[in-house]
Structures are given as C-alpha cells and as structure tokens.
Amino acid sequence: MIRVALFTLLCTLTAPALALTCLPPDVARTYQQVAEAEEAYIVVHARLEFDADALPRTDWQDQAASPPHTLIPARMTGQALTKTGFDLPFDRAITLDAQCFGPWCAGAIPGTSYLAFLQRTQSGYLLALDPCGGMGFADPTPETLRRVETCYSGGRCDPQSP
C-alpha cells in the first residue's frame, strides 16, 4: 500500500505542468494592434455591466468542452475617446465576448471600470476579453489613460518591454 501511494506521489510530481503564458498587458501594444486592424474600433473608459453568471466556467473533468467564445449581452456607461480626451458620453448596449483558451477563460466583474477597445460590428459594439486580458483593461490607472490618449493624438506610442 505504501509503494502504491509513493508511486502515485512520484507520478504527480513528475507530471508536466501546463500553464498559460501571456505577455503583460500593455495599452500601447493593444492600441497599435487595433490601429492596424481592418476592423473599426473605438476606445472608451466606462463601467461594464453584465450578468456574471453567464461567464464561461471550465469543466475540469472535460477541459476540451470549454467554449472558445461566450457572447454575453452587456452595457458600458462612461466616455469615449476623442482628440480632446475622454469627453464624449458613451452609454450603449454592447456584446461581451468572453473567450477561453483551452481550460483558461476570461474573467470580468460587473460594475468594474474598463479602458475598452470596442470593435464596431454590424450589430453594434463588441468587447473581446480573453484569459490574457484581450481588448479591455480593468480599473485603468491615470497613467494608462494618459498613454492611450497620447497614442490617439499621434504622440509617442511605444509598448513597454515585457
């Protein structure tokens, strides 16, 4: 019995650890990504509201069953970015695309302030969040907001080194 327990313990210790590796979120890198995209985007600083029960959950017994995209009705209320800053009122229904990469899924908390890069689609606006962050920055700092304003106004927009 002790040998079986020892063998099980050794197998557990030598099993490969699977982890998701992400670049640190960087607003300048995300800004450059959307500026180069074929799709149209707007930048907003707004509160995100949605039903948290609709977020995808990983079934650890069947990790392959995690959906790659879960579309959730949501609302963002705040300001959109213009050449003069975050000064255009924004209050719209959007779609939150909570994405999963295998067993790792995006998370979000209703009522949280986001700096969001919203894709304009034929059916409205889409916020894509993934396990590495995606197109949203929760509770952005004043410095993060200044950096995206600088990028938008044509100033220096260099991503930070990882």
Side-chain angles (χ1 to χ4, degrees):
M1 186 62 135
I2 293 175
R3 286 185 185 173
V4 171
L6 182 59
F7 177 76
T8 303
L9 176 63
L10 289 174
C11 287
T12 303
L13 294 175
T14 61
L18 299 176
L20 179 64
T21 302
C22 301
L23 283 174
D26 182 81
V27 70
R29 183 174 37 252
T30 302
Y31 182 87
Q32 290 175 351
Q33 180 183 345
V34 301
E36 296 169 0
E38 290 182 21
E39 301 84 9
Y41 284 83
I42 65 167
V43 182
V44 301
H45 179 214
R47 187 179 68 251
L48 176 64
E49 296 291 348
F50 66 97
D51 178 4
D53 290 336
L55 286 170
R57 289 173 179 45
T58 301
D59 177 353
W60 291 105
Q61 302 305 316
D62 184 9
Q63 294 177 25
S66 296
H69 298 272
T70 300
L71 301 179
I72 303 168
R75 181 162 211 90
M76 293 199 84
T77 305
Q79 294 79 32
L81 182 60
T82 70
K83 292 290 184 190
T84 55
F86 287 97
D87 57 9
L88 180 65
F90 185 89
D91 185 5
R92 300 228 176 137
I94 68 160
T95 301
L96 173 60
D97 180 5
Q99 300 175 3
C100 296
F101 299 162
W104 300 278
C105 295
I109 299 172
T112 300
S113 171
Y114 271 86
L115 171 60
F117 294 82
L118 301 178
Q119 182 184 346
R120 189 175 307 167
T121 69
Q122 290 182 344
S123 60
Y125 291 102
L126 179 83
L127 173 57
L129 297 180
D130 62 42
C132 294
M135 296 296 174
F137 295 79
D139 294 321
T141 64
E143 172 59 24
T144 297
L145 296 173
R146 278 192 298 277
R147 283 186 71 212
V148 77
E149 287 173 337
T150 299
C151 290
Y152 188 77
S153 66
R156 190 172 180 152
C157 190
D158 298 326
Q160 296 177 340
S161 298

